[in-house]
Amino acid sequence: MADSGSKSSTSLRGNSLLHDPVLNKGTAFTDRERDALGLRGLLPARVHTQPEQVQRVLNNLRSQSSDLEKYIFLTALHDRNETLFFRVVMENAEEIMPLIYTPTVGLGCQLYGRIYRQPRGLFVTAADAGRVKQVLKNWPQKAGLIVVTDGERILGLGDLGAQGMGIPVGKLSLYTACAGMDPSLCLPVTLDVGTENEELLQDPLYIGVVRRRLRGAEYDALVEEFVAAANEVFPGVLIQFEDFANANAFRLLHKYQDRICTFNDDIQGTASVALSGLKSAIRITGKSLADTRVLFLGAGEAACGIADLVTASLMAQGLPEAEARKRCWLVDSKGLVTAARQGLTDHKRKYAHEHAPIADFASAVNALKPQAIIGVAAVGRTFTKPIIEAMSSFNERPIVFALSNPTSKSECTAEEAYAWSKGRAVFACGSPFAPVNFDGRTFVPRQGNNSYIFPGVGLGVVACKARRVTDEMFLAAADTLAGMVSQADLDQGSIYPSLSRMREVSAAIATRVADVAFARGLAGVPKPADTAAFIRKNMYEPTYPSYA
Ligand code: NAD
């Protein structure tokens, strides 16, 4: 259908209307609309339906020669016709999500200054200290959800400064595509506080402020001013912190999570999707979560976030905290994190258990004999053949999650995990891998993609105007997602549902999250009789309104 049939009005006419990406319908403007809105002659004569427009977009998209070209093409569509963009993404999620988010967005950010066409989102620079509120007031809409980055740890690619803007932009597109978050509520923000990336500092086409990173008290003051101003200009706004370097990410989360409506997706969203994966994986291994020792390669935001939520889940099952924490072990660049190690940060210290020092991951695998290994160190090719073979020697069904992004940082490929374990690995990945044929079986590895979690959590929080985002909400999200994995999924080695079910998954998660908010007295609206229906009513549909 080209039109939803819902009537809408606009004061825009002619060219101005065609160049407004929110209102533009392109060739789908009907004859009546063309007469009424001064469009006659400004468009080719033939009126196309939205499905026909979708087909044209897909033909064009598929004829682009590289993923980067596809990213640029889709960005241009987003800038031209927002409704059509979201229709295309929603109907082709498996094909398009990797183009607008990981892994392609990584390259998009690295080259942001080179491929830059149009601004999107709001840049708050170090020089804006003292006037951040005015900058936020320049945003033309009332934001309900901000995704903010300072660009210091973009995926596994490090410091990309202001070019990290690709991340909040992409993430908010996923919010709308996956959960039907109203795009008019979404505000991407980059805190452009400089960069330590020499290449960017030397690049004449770099888009950010050319300076070294703001640090210390001045940095904290700018973040504080931003948080306060955002809550003043957009009261109750949900602020999602994204791709901050890990010292700042943990600090800022702890500073703000009990003060404002906020969460950090790299820590909490990752935790929820990984916990959900573990819950599904143990349906295959036949062990309980309490009987599953998890060894992480990496001890940063993702690893500690996952370990914290696994602990919370075990504690909810009745395990004492100290016992629960002992299920998780960390290996960082210095080796196994043990109680004797000096100078550990607080987030690592919680998992520093008594053990003799071990210098490398392979030795730690052999010493600890874990049931699950989770790779989140952003160092590629680290789950080697001997490691997967060792895991397979003491586990009938070893759990192997290679979660580092983008693809080049993946700890191993899906093919390697299945081949080296002789088809026994229960595998999940951070970046997408194609199905693998091994020994007459076809395995369909699925991504432990945060997009299963954060869009539903955000939608639930924004819809019920929750004042806080709590761990209980992320536990509920993990549980809901795991509950949507069918036996048929498990039989083909998939521990997540198909990406094509994303809207259904997000709606279910949003419903559970809103119910947590209602139950805990955190919601800003009265509890509806039917939370699921209330959530569905809040979901945006990319259908054109009728203007005449
Ligand atoms: P981070 O910077 O907070 O943590 C990285 C950790 O790896 C640090 O503890 C560091 O000490 C450790 N490390 C670095 N080199 C190492 C080495 N050679 N051996 C062992 N440890 C080493 O980053 P993060 O947010 O935790 O993200 C890490 C990776 O996980 C990234 O590639 C990111 O894209 C990926 N990730 C994937 C998902 C997902 O798939 N859903 C979600 C979040 C993060």
Side-chain angles (χ1 to χ4, degrees), residues 179-201:
M181 180 72 77
D182 181 346
S184 71
L185 294 176
C186 297
L187 168 54
V189 174
T190 291
L191 300 178
D192 180 1
V193 291
T195 179
E196 301 300 324
N197 185 321
E198 281 305 331
E199 220 176 292
L200 292 178
L201 288 171

Side-chain angles (χ1 to χ4, degrees), residues 153 246 270 297 299-302 332-333 376-379 403-405 430 448 450:
R153 200 242 57 198
N246 81 41
T270 303
L297 178 61
E301 296 171 52
D332 64 11
S333 49
V376 274
V379 187
L403 295 186
S404 287
N405 284 316
N450 293 34

